[in-house]
Amino acid sequence: MIPLKFLSKNEKEKLTAQLEKQFGIKEIPWEIAKLGKERIIVFSGEISEKEIFEFDRFARIEGIGLYFAKIDERTGDIRLSIEGAHLLKSQITKNIFELDEKQAEQWMLGQELNISTGKRGFLIMKYKDDFLGTGKASENKISNFVPKGRRLKYRENKIEE
Amino acid sequence: MQNQTRYQPKPLFLERMKNLLGRDFDDYINILKKEPVRSLRCNTIKISPDELKERLENKGWKIKIPFGDFPEIIIVENELQPGELGRALEHMLGYYYIQEIASMLPPLILNPKPDEKILDLCASPGSKTTQTAARMKNSGLIIANEVKFGRIKILASNLERCGVMNAIITKRDGIALCRRFKEQNFLFDKILLDAPCSGEGTIRSTPRTLEMWNIKTIENLSKLQKSLIASAIEILKPNGELVYSTCTHAPEENEEIIDFALKNFNIKVEKINLPIKTRQGITEFGEKEYSEDVKYSCRVYPQLADTEGFFIAKIRKVK
């Protein structure tokens, strides 16, 4: 059975409050569910929760909705996926780190950035109009969470070293 | 010339294509030697065609939008480095999907609407599922099924990259899944059956298909395709629509399947309009004769519109 749990109204409010605290996000206009221990998905499909579980019994669900965020079990902080950041980009007002072209390329290559931001915790990575997911800032670097399958595989020639 | 240097077509394949194409045969052979067009589909879930066009032009790419009614279909006209389309940031961010123009046609015919319940029975790698989700504006419901474990991952990854939120992925044998849906009376407004096929239409991009081609495979696939379409029709709502497609030219996998459906179910084949030049379905091949209405299906030949080869038919379940 799929380890899926849709968030109650209270749970959704709590999650939204945390997103507002971290990134200024005030509203998530879709159904939200927890998939397994950490992964948060958003789902816009027109089917009830009850139907989903009935459906799972006879059709074996392998995946549902869109991976949106992960909750850090230790701190309770939320790390938005690339898609999560893209979906809510119009609402994100806080903890944005603007990348320059070279940093954006390093980021999409999956490399950590050796930068001191003066902040600690999760930052939304932004390059021009593109939202490139979330990094974790510590004293002298930003850790990279771009999944392997989404990374650029080479350096573009036009980027200056 | 990248094609047909390493892989030579088998005599029986050539003979069959000659029978299908008649005087177009030489044009067909010539187009196989030509590099396929670099086409992509703007993922309107994430970006508008105008914005994407501007971004790609700023990279120095020469962009053409060939069909005014479908601005999401884009051709890159200039030469690119090998793999450049797939490595671009815009691709990584899901702003476009690299997709052959012929492969974009079945979802256009399916014409999915935002409130519909749609089954994509053989969904991986997800080109048509993501296109369907975009046309539904990420609402309604898509069930995207794929039987092969190895292909589920690529399907899930493409749905994620493209920001698809309205889909549920299942991994079941298509016939068994339809049976379960039928038992549960879980019916669909529309079904896309992009059936597993012998891939004769993909020779331009995958010349190795020529080496793997054999008539036995076609016969076996034909049996599977008949079982799939029969199972799928059973779970269509009354008046529901099914689009059947393959990327092959073999009549046993195309008209014969539609003929089988017409003879065994209360359905009708509907005329379809495509934005490219096509040929109508054939009503006889060798010693076989098919129902007259099979002619409403479409044969997409590479030499007609500089695409890959495809077959598309739309059927409606009669109330």
mmCIF file of all heavy atoms in Angstrom, chain B residues 81-116:
data_model
loop_
_atom_site.group_PDB
_atom_site.id
_atom_site.type_symbol
_atom_site.label_atom_id
_atom_site.label_comp_id
_atom_site.label_asym_id
_atom_site.label_seq_id
_atom_site.Cartn_x
_atom_site.Cartn_y
_atom_site.Cartn_z
ATOM 1 N N GLN B 81 25.235 21.138 -31.304
ATOM 2 C CA GLN B 81 26.192 20.104 -30.899
ATOM 3 C C GLN B 81 25.401 18.831 -30.541
ATOM 4 O O GLN B 81 24.250 18.939 -30.096
ATOM 5 C CB GLN B 81 26.949 20.560 -29.642
ATOM 6 C CG GLN B 81 27.817 21.785 -29.827
ATOM 7 C CD GLN B 81 29.003 21.510 -30.726
ATOM 8 O OE1 GLN B 81 29.608 20.447 -30.643
ATOM 9 N NE2 GLN B 81 29.307 22.450 -31.604
ATOM 10 N N PRO B 82 26.014 17.655 -30.692
ATOM 11 C CA PRO B 82 25.299 16.432 -30.284
ATOM 12 C C PRO B 82 24.868 16.527 -28.812
ATOM 13 O O PRO B 82 25.670 16.897 -27.962
ATOM 14 C CB PRO B 82 26.356 15.329 -30.472
ATOM 15 C CG PRO B 82 27.332 15.883 -31.453
ATOM 16 C CD PRO B 82 27.344 17.371 -31.246
ATOM 17 N N GLY B 83 23.599 16.258 -28.565
ATOM 18 C CA GLY B 83 23.094 16.268 -27.188
ATOM 19 C C GLY B 83 22.790 17.647 -26.625
ATOM 20 O O GLY B 83 22.379 17.768 -25.466
ATOM 21 N N GLU B 84 22.972 18.690 -27.432
ATOM 22 C CA GLU B 84 22.801 20.052 -26.906
ATOM 23 C C GLU B 84 21.359 20.328 -26.462
ATOM 24 O O GLU B 84 21.134 20.997 -25.448
ATOM 25 C CB GLU B 84 23.236 21.074 -27.971
ATOM 26 C CG GLU B 84 23.436 22.473 -27.418
ATOM 27 C CD GLU B 84 23.993 23.465 -28.444
ATOM 28 O OE1 GLU B 84 24.512 23.009 -29.493
ATOM 29 O OE2 GLU B 84 23.900 24.671 -28.188
ATOM 30 N N LEU B 85 20.393 19.795 -27.200
ATOM 31 C CA LEU B 85 18.978 20.002 -26.827
ATOM 32 C C LEU B 85 18.695 19.456 -25.422
ATOM 33 O O LEU B 85 17.990 20.065 -24.641
ATOM 34 C CB LEU B 85 18.054 19.257 -27.805
ATOM 35 C CG LEU B 85 17.600 19.930 -29.092
ATOM 36 C CD1 LEU B 85 16.648 19.008 -29.830
ATOM 37 C CD2 LEU B 85 16.931 21.260 -28.829
ATOM 38 N N GLY B 86 19.283 18.297 -25.135
ATOM 39 C CA GLY B 86 19.003 17.630 -23.857
ATOM 40 C C GLY B 86 19.791 18.210 -22.702
ATOM 41 O O GLY B 86 19.438 18.000 -21.543
ATOM 42 N N ARG B 87 20.867 18.926 -23.006
ATOM 43 C CA ARG B 87 21.725 19.432 -21.938
ATOM 44 C C ARG B 87 21.390 20.865 -21.526
ATOM 45 O O ARG B 87 21.919 21.362 -20.549
ATOM 46 C CB ARG B 87 23.192 19.396 -22.393
ATOM 47 C CG ARG B 87 23.799 18.012 -22.448
ATOM 48 C CD ARG B 87 25.300 18.124 -22.574
ATOM 49 N NE ARG B 87 25.688 18.949 -23.687
ATOM 50 C CZ ARG B 87 26.236 18.496 -24.825
ATOM 51 N NH1 ARG B 87 26.446 17.218 -24.969
ATOM 52 N NH2 ARG B 87 26.573 19.320 -25.788
ATOM 53 N N ALA B 88 20.530 21.516 -22.292
ATOM 54 C CA ALA B 88 20.255 22.934 -22.031
ATOM 55 C C ALA B 88 19.532 23.113 -20.690
ATOM 56 O O ALA B 88 18.755 22.255 -20.269
ATOM 57 C CB ALA B 88 19.397 23.504 -23.155
ATOM 58 N N LEU B 89 19.785 24.238 -20.049
ATOM 59 C CA LEU B 89 19.138 24.548 -18.761
ATOM 60 C C LEU B 89 17.612 24.507 -18.901
ATOM 61 O O LEU B 89 16.906 23.997 -18.034
ATOM 62 C CB LEU B 89 19.592 25.934 -18.273
ATOM 63 C CG LEU B 89 18.969 26.416 -16.971
ATOM 64 C CD1 LEU B 89 19.377 25.520 -15.798
ATOM 65 C CD2 LEU B 89 19.351 27.862 -16.680
ATOM 66 N N GLU B 90 17.124 25.029 -20.020
ATOM 67 C CA GLU B 90 15.671 25.078 -20.235
ATOM 68 C C GLU B 90 15.066 23.671 -20.263
ATOM 69 O O GLU B 90 13.915 23.474 -19.872
ATOM 70 C CB GLU B 90 15.348 25.808 -21.558
ATOM 71 C CG GLU B 90 15.581 27.306 -21.522
ATOM 72 C CD GLU B 90 17.050 27.712 -21.620
ATOM 73 O OE1 GLU B 90 17.908 26.817 -21.858
ATOM 74 O OE2 GLU B 90 17.352 28.895 -21.459
ATOM 75 N N HIS B 91 15.853 22.702 -20.740
ATOM 76 C CA HIS B 91 15.381 21.316 -20.728
ATOM 77 C C HIS B 91 15.406 20.770 -19.313
ATOM 78 O O HIS B 91 14.445 20.156 -18.842
ATOM 79 C CB HIS B 91 16.239 20.458 -21.673
ATOM 80 C CG HIS B 91 15.781 19.035 -21.742
ATOM 81 N ND1 HIS B 91 16.492 17.998 -21.187
ATOM 82 C CD2 HIS B 91 14.668 18.477 -22.272
ATOM 83 C CE1 HIS B 91 15.851 16.865 -21.384
ATOM 84 N NE2 HIS B 91 14.739 17.127 -22.045
ATOM 85 N N MET B 92 16.520 21.016 -18.608
ATOM 86 C CA MET B 92 16.654 20.533 -17.223
ATOM 87 C C MET B 92 15.525 21.077 -16.339
ATOM 88 O O MET B 92 15.075 20.407 -15.420
ATOM 89 C CB MET B 92 17.989 20.998 -16.619
ATOM 90 C CG MET B 92 19.195 20.399 -17.277
ATOM 91 S SD MET B 92 19.243 18.641 -16.968
ATOM 92 C CE MET B 92 20.604 18.165 -18.002
ATOM 93 N N LEU B 93 15.099 22.305 -16.632
ATOM 94 C CA LEU B 93 14.053 22.932 -15.810
ATOM 95 C C LEU B 93 12.642 22.571 -16.289
ATOM 96 O O LEU B 93 11.660 23.056 -15.739
ATOM 97 C CB LEU B 93 14.232 24.453 -15.802
ATOM 98 C CG LEU B 93 15.497 24.946 -15.074
ATOM 99 C CD1 LEU B 93 15.632 26.456 -15.175
ATOM 100 C CD2 LEU B 93 15.492 24.528 -13.602
ATOM 101 N N GLY B 94 12.567 21.743 -17.300
ATOM 102 C CA GLY B 94 11.249 21.277 -17.754
ATOM 103 C C GLY B 94 10.483 22.290 -18.568
ATOM 104 O O GLY B 94 9.263 22.210 -18.680
ATOM 105 N N TYR B 95 11.184 23.247 -19.172
ATOM 106 C CA TYR B 95 10.490 24.240 -19.999
ATOM 107 C C TYR B 95 10.137 23.651 -21.363
ATOM 108 O O TYR B 95 9.258 24.164 -22.045
ATOM 109 C CB TYR B 95 11.336 25.500 -20.179
ATOM 110 C CG TYR B 95 11.576 26.277 -18.905
ATOM 111 C CD1 TYR B 95 12.524 27.299 -18.848
ATOM 112 C CD2 TYR B 95 10.847 26.015 -17.748
ATOM 113 C CE1 TYR B 95 12.747 28.020 -17.679
ATOM 114 C CE2 TYR B 95 11.063 26.719 -16.583
ATOM 115 C CZ TYR B 95 12.014 27.718 -16.554
ATOM 116 O OH TYR B 95 12.233 28.419 -15.399
ATOM 117 N N TYR B 96 10.862 22.609 -21.758
ATOM 118 C CA TYR B 96 10.461 21.921 -22.988
ATOM 119 C C TYR B 96 10.737 20.432 -22.894
ATOM 120 O O TYR B 96 11.485 19.975 -22.032
ATOM 121 C CB TYR B 96 11.116 22.525 -24.233
ATOM 122 C CG TYR B 96 12.623 22.411 -24.354
ATOM 123 C CD1 TYR B 96 13.229 21.219 -24.743
ATOM 124 C CD2 TYR B 96 13.432 23.517 -24.137
ATOM 125 C CE1 TYR B 96 14.607 21.131 -24.894
ATOM 126 C CE2 TYR B 96 14.806 23.444 -24.286
ATOM 127 C CZ TYR B 96 15.391 22.243 -24.658
ATOM 128 O OH TYR B 96 16.750 22.154 -24.796
ATOM 129 N N TYR B 97 10.086 19.705 -23.787
ATOM 130 C CA TYR B 97 10.239 18.250 -23.888
ATOM 131 C C TYR B 97 10.718 17.961 -25.309
ATOM 132 O O TYR B 97 10.125 18.463 -26.273
ATOM 133 C CB TYR B 97 8.882 17.583 -23.636
ATOM 134 C CG TYR B 97 8.976 16.113 -23.308
ATOM 135 C CD1 TYR B 97 8.717 15.641 -22.021
ATOM 136 C CD2 TYR B 97 9.343 15.183 -24.286
ATOM 137 C CE1 TYR B 97 8.818 14.295 -21.711
ATOM 138 C CE2 TYR B 97 9.444 13.828 -23.980
ATOM 139 C CZ TYR B 97 9.178 13.402 -22.698
ATOM 140 O OH TYR B 97 9.278 12.058 -22.408
ATOM 141 N N ILE B 98 11.779 17.199 -25.435
ATOM 142 C CA ILE B 98 12.273 16.867 -26.773
ATOM 143 C C ILE B 98 11.373 15.768 -27.334
ATOM 144 O O ILE B 98 11.305 14.667 -26.780
ATOM 145 C CB ILE B 98 13.738 16.379 -26.721
ATOM 146 C CG1 ILE B 98 14.621 17.438 -26.074
ATOM 147 C CG2 ILE B 98 14.244 16.026 -28.119
ATOM 148 C CD1 ILE B 98 15.989 16.943 -25.669
ATOM 149 N N GLN B 99 10.671 16.101 -28.377
ATOM 150 C CA GLN B 99 9.628 15.180 -28.862
ATOM 151 C C GLN B 99 9.483 15.330 -30.371
ATOM 152 O O GLN B 99 9.419 16.460 -30.885
ATOM 153 C CB GLN B 99 8.315 15.528 -28.142
ATOM 154 C CG GLN B 99 7.199 14.540 -28.331
ATOM 155 C CD GLN B 99 5.978 14.903 -27.466
ATOM 156 O OE1 GLN B 99 6.010 15.837 -26.660
ATOM 157 N NE2 GLN B 99 4.909 14.164 -27.656
ATOM 158 N N GLU B 100 9.420 14.236 -31.043
ATOM 159 C CA GLU B 100 9.259 14.242 -32.492
ATOM 160 C C GLU B 100 7.839 14.741 -32.827
ATOM 161 O O GLU B 100 6.884 14.439 -32.120
ATOM 162 C CB GLU B 100 9.470 12.807 -33.001
ATOM 163 C CG GLU B 100 10.181 12.705 -34.320
ATOM 164 C CD GLU B 100 9.292 13.094 -35.477
ATOM 165 O OE1 GLU B 100 8.098 12.741 -35.429
ATOM 166 O OE2 GLU B 100 9.775 13.735 -36.417
ATOM 167 N N ILE B 101 7.721 15.487 -33.905
ATOM 168 C CA ILE B 101 6.416 16.104 -34.217
ATOM 169 C C ILE B 101 5.312 15.040 -34.369
ATOM 170 O O ILE B 101 4.211 15.204 -33.833
ATOM 171 C CB ILE B 101 6.518 16.983 -35.477
ATOM 172 C CG1 ILE B 101 7.277 18.268 -35.118
ATOM 173 C CG2 ILE B 101 5.132 17.333 -36.025
ATOM 174 C CD1 ILE B 101 7.486 19.234 -36.252
ATOM 175 N N ALA B 102 5.609 13.935 -35.043
ATOM 176 C CA ALA B 102 4.571 12.899 -35.228
ATOM 177 C C ALA B 102 4.088 12.369 -33.880
ATOM 178 O O ALA B 102 2.908 12.049 -33.708
ATOM 179 C CB ALA B 102 5.113 11.767 -36.092
ATOM 180 N N SER B 103 4.989 12.310 -32.912
ATOM 181 C CA SER B 103 4.626 11.800 -31.586
ATOM 182 C C SER B 103 3.750 12.792 -30.806
ATOM 183 O O SER B 103 3.110 12.422 -29.824
ATOM 184 C CB SER B 103 5.909 11.475 -30.814
ATOM 185 O OG SER B 103 5.746 11.649 -29.454
ATOM 186 N N MET B 104 3.729 14.050 -31.259
ATOM 187 C CA MET B 104 2.872 15.041 -30.591
ATOM 188 C C MET B 104 1.426 14.960 -31.093
ATOM 189 O O MET B 104 0.533 15.583 -30.511
ATOM 190 C CB MET B 104 3.394 16.461 -30.855
ATOM 191 C CG MET B 104 4.811 16.716 -30.372
ATOM 192 S SD MET B 104 5.273 18.433 -30.719
ATOM 193 C CE MET B 104 7.062 18.334 -30.741
ATOM 194 N N LEU B 105 1.200 14.219 -32.173
ATOM 195 C CA LEU B 105 -0.124 14.244 -32.795
ATOM 196 C C LEU B 105 -1.213 13.498 -31.997
ATOM 197 O O LEU B 105 -2.329 14.020 -31.876
ATOM 198 C CB LEU B 105 -0.040 13.700 -34.229
ATOM 199 C CG LEU B 105 0.929 14.461 -35.160
ATOM 200 C CD1 LEU B 105 1.054 13.758 -36.503
ATOM 201 C CD2 LEU B 105 0.482 15.909 -35.358
ATOM 202 N N PRO B 106 -0.928 12.303 -31.432
ATOM 203 C CA PRO B 106 -2.021 11.607 -30.731
ATOM 204 C C PRO B 106 -2.675 12.423 -29.615
ATOM 205 O O PRO B 106 -3.917 12.480 -29.544
ATOM 206 C CB PRO B 106 -1.344 10.330 -30.204
ATOM 207 C CG PRO B 106 -0.229 10.084 -31.183
ATOM 208 C CD PRO B 106 0.280 11.445 -31.554
ATOM 209 N N PRO B 107 -1.901 13.132 -28.750
ATOM 210 C CA PRO B 107 -2.589 13.951 -27.735
ATOM 211 C C PRO B 107 -3.392 15.109 -28.336
ATOM 212 O O PRO B 107 -4.390 15.536 -27.751
ATOM 213 C CB PRO B 107 -1.441 14.486 -26.865
ATOM 214 C CG PRO B 107 -0.342 13.490 -27.038
ATOM 215 C CD PRO B 107 -0.438 13.062 -28.479
ATOM 216 N N LEU B 108 -2.960 15.605 -29.518
ATOM 217 C CA LEU B 108 -3.758 16.670 -30.161
ATOM 218 C C LEU B 108 -5.119 16.113 -30.569
ATOM 219 O O LEU B 108 -6.143 16.777 -30.459
ATOM 220 C CB LEU B 108 -3.037 17.230 -31.391
ATOM 221 C CG LEU B 108 -1.690 17.931 -31.166
ATOM 222 C CD1 LEU B 108 -1.158 18.509 -32.479
ATOM 223 C CD2 LEU B 108 -1.801 19.028 -30.123
ATOM 224 N N ILE B 109 -5.117 14.863 -31.053
ATOM 225 C CA ILE B 109 -6.379 14.233 -31.458
ATOM 226 C C ILE B 109 -7.213 13.850 -30.229
ATOM 227 O O ILE B 109 -8.426 13.951 -30.228
ATOM 228 C CB ILE B 109 -6.093 12.984 -32.331
ATOM 229 C CG1 ILE B 109 -5.367 13.399 -33.615
ATOM 230 C CG2 ILE B 109 -7.364 12.215 -32.660
ATOM 231 C CD1 ILE B 109 -6.065 14.480 -34.404
ATOM 232 N N LEU B 110 -6.539 13.424 -29.169
ATOM 233 C CA LEU B 110 -7.247 13.083 -27.920
ATOM 234 C C LEU B 110 -7.954 14.328 -27.370
ATOM 235 O O LEU B 110 -9.012 14.236 -26.759
ATOM 236 C CB LEU B 110 -6.248 12.548 -26.884
ATOM 237 C CG LEU B 110 -6.827 11.872 -25.650
ATOM 238 C CD1 LEU B 110 -7.463 10.531 -26.022
ATOM 239 C CD2 LEU B 110 -5.775 11.665 -24.571
ATOM 240 N N ASN B 111 -7.336 15.496 -27.592
ATOM 241 C CA ASN B 111 -7.908 16.788 -27.183
ATOM 242 C C ASN B 111 -8.417 16.761 -25.736
ATOM 243 O O ASN B 111 -9.600 16.997 -25.473
ATOM 244 C CB ASN B 111 -9.038 17.172 -28.160
ATOM 245 C CG ASN B 111 -9.426 18.635 -28.015
ATOM 246 O OD1 ASN B 111 -8.652 19.434 -27.475
ATOM 247 N ND2 ASN B 111 -10.610 18.979 -28.462
ATOM 248 N N PRO B 112 -7.531 16.462 -24.805
ATOM 249 C CA PRO B 112 -7.968 16.331 -23.407
ATOM 250 C C PRO B 112 -8.462 17.657 -22.833
ATOM 251 O O PRO B 112 -7.929 18.719 -23.160
ATOM 252 C CB PRO B 112 -6.701 15.877 -22.683
ATOM 253 C CG PRO B 112 -5.572 16.222 -23.573
ATOM 254 C CD PRO B 112 -6.092 16.296 -24.972
ATOM 255 N N LYS B 113 -9.486 17.571 -21.988
ATOM 256 C CA LYS B 113 -10.071 18.768 -21.374
ATOM 257 C C LYS B 113 -9.774 18.746 -19.867
ATOM 258 O O LYS B 113 -9.623 17.669 -19.287
ATOM 259 C CB LYS B 113 -11.590 18.782 -21.600
ATOM 260 C CG LYS B 113 -12.005 18.759 -23.061
ATOM 261 C CD LYS B 113 -11.923 20.143 -23.658
ATOM 262 C CE LYS B 113 -12.018 20.214 -25.166
ATOM 263 N NZ LYS B 113 -12.884 19.292 -25.850
ATOM 264 N N PRO B 114 -9.754 19.940 -19.255
ATOM 265 C CA PRO B 114 -9.335 20.025 -17.851
ATOM 266 C C PRO B 114 -10.128 19.163 -16.865
ATOM 267 O O PRO B 114 -9.604 18.777 -15.844
ATOM 268 C CB PRO B 114 -9.499 21.516 -17.524
ATOM 269 C CG PRO B 114 -9.308 22.194 -18.828
ATOM 270 C CD PRO B 114 -9.909 21.277 -19.848
ATOM 271 N N ASP B 115 -11.401 18.878 -17.153
ATOM 272 C CA ASP B 115 -12.176 18.146 -16.142
ATOM 273 C C ASP B 115 -12.283 16.646 -16.432
ATOM 274 O O ASP B 115 -13.044 15.945 -15.788
ATOM 275 C CB ASP B 115 -13.583 18.765 -16.038
ATOM 276 C CG ASP B 115 -14.299 18.731 -17.384
ATOM 277 O OD1 ASP B 115 -13.616 18.513 -18.406
ATOM 278 O OD2 ASP B 115 -15.527 18.910 -17.411
ATOM 279 N N GLU B 116 -11.509 16.159 -17.377
ATOM 280 C CA GLU B 116 -11.709 14.764 -17.783
ATOM 281 C C GLU B 116 -10.837 13.781 -17.004
ATOM 282 O O GLU B 116 -9.817 14.148 -16.439
ATOM 283 C CB GLU B 116 -11.418 14.636 -19.285
ATOM 284 C CG GLU B 116 -12.511 15.279 -20.115
ATOM 285 C CD GLU B 116 -12.203 15.322 -21.609
ATOM 286 O OE1 GLU B 116 -11.020 15.281 -21.991
ATOM 287 O OE2 GLU B 116 -13.161 15.430 -22.381
#
